Amino acid sequence: NQWGVLGGSRKTDGKGRVMMKHADGEQAGIKIISLKTTMVGIVLVIVGATAAIVHFPWTLTSRRNTENIVHRLNQEIVLGTTEEVRRLFESAVTTERTIVDIFAGGSIDYNNEKERQDFYLTLLNANKNFTGISFGYPNGNFFAAQRENSGNLRLVESVWNAEAKTAQRRVSFYEVSEGGLKTTDIKEMTDKFYAPE
C-alpha cells in the first residue's frame, strides 16, 4: 500500500483502486446529507412562499367579500322589513277607514250584532296578519273580533253603564271550521273598560 499526495491523502490498493480513509467517507456522507437537507429546505421555502403568496391575498379578498355579503344581506333585510311594516301599517289604516266609512254611511248597522259580527270576521279573513279588529263607540261601548290562532276566534262585546261606571262584557269563543263558526264557550264579566279612554 502506498500513500500519495495529490490534493490530500489517498489510499490505493495493490491494483490502483483508490480507497478512502474513514474520515473522508464521513465527510462525503455529511456533504451528501447536507446537500439533501439544503434541497429539502429550498423546496420547503419555495412551497411556503408560494402558499403565503396565494393564502394572504385570498384571505384578504375572502374577508372583504364576506363583509360585502353581510352588508348587502343586512340592507336587504332592513329594506324587506321596512316594506313589510309599511304594508301592514297601510293595511291597518285602510281597514280602519273602511270600518268608519261603512258604519258612518249606514251600510252596516253597528247595533245589529249579526251584521257587525259577519263584517268583522270578513275583515279578519281578508287580513291574515291582523290579530284583531276593534271598534270603540263614543258612548263607551266596545266590540272586537280577535284571532287567537288559525283555528280559533273570539268576539268581545262590552256595553258601558254610565251610571255604574262599569262595563258588562261578553266574550264568545269560536272554532273555525269549513261549515262556519262553532261556539265553544261564552264568558260574561263586569269590568271598568270604557272605550273612549
Side-chain angles (χ1 to χ4, degrees), residues 77-93 129-130:
I77 289 169
V78 168
L79 289 173
T81 304
T82 302
E83 182 60 27
E84 182 67 15
V85 169
R86 185 191 61 74
R87 190 183 63 74
L88 285 172
F89 181 73
E90 286 177 358
S91 181
V93 169
N129 292 317
F130 288 3

Side-chain angles (χ1 to χ4, degrees), residues 9-24:
S9 301
R10 288 195 308 173
K11 186 176 179 183
T12 59
D13 60 7
K15 297 179 180 173
R17 290 182 293 201
V18 177
M19 297 182 68
M20 299 176 87
K21 285 202 263 178
H22 182 67
D24 289 340

Side-chain angles (χ1 to χ4, degrees), residues 24-50:
D24 289 340
E26 283 181 4
Q27 277 185 337
I30 290 172
K31 286 180 184 176
I32 291 171
I33 291 172
S34 178
L35 183 61
K36 285 181 183 177
T37 304
T38 303
M39 291 301 286
V40 168
I42 290 171
V43 168
L44 288 176
V45 168
I46 291 171
V47 169
T50 305

Side-chain angles (χ1 to χ4, degrees), residues 52-106:
I53 289 169
V54 170
H55 177 72
F56 291 116
W58 177 83
T59 301
L60 291 173
T61 303
S62 109
R63 282 186 187 160
R64 261 189 240 120
N65 288 343
T66 303
E67 288 170 5
N68 286 339
I69 289 170
V70 167
H71 181 68
R72 287 180 188 165
L73 284 174
N74 283 339
Q75 283 181 327
E76 289 296 320
I77 289 169
V78 168
L79 289 173
T81 304
T82 302
E83 182 60 27
E84 182 67 15
V85 169
R86 185 191 61 74
R87 190 183 63 74
L88 285 172
F89 181 73
E90 286 177 358
S91 181
V93 169
T94 301
T95 303
E96 185 178 70
R97 288 182 185 146
T98 301
I99 293 170
V100 172
D101 291 346
I102 286 177
F103 284 166

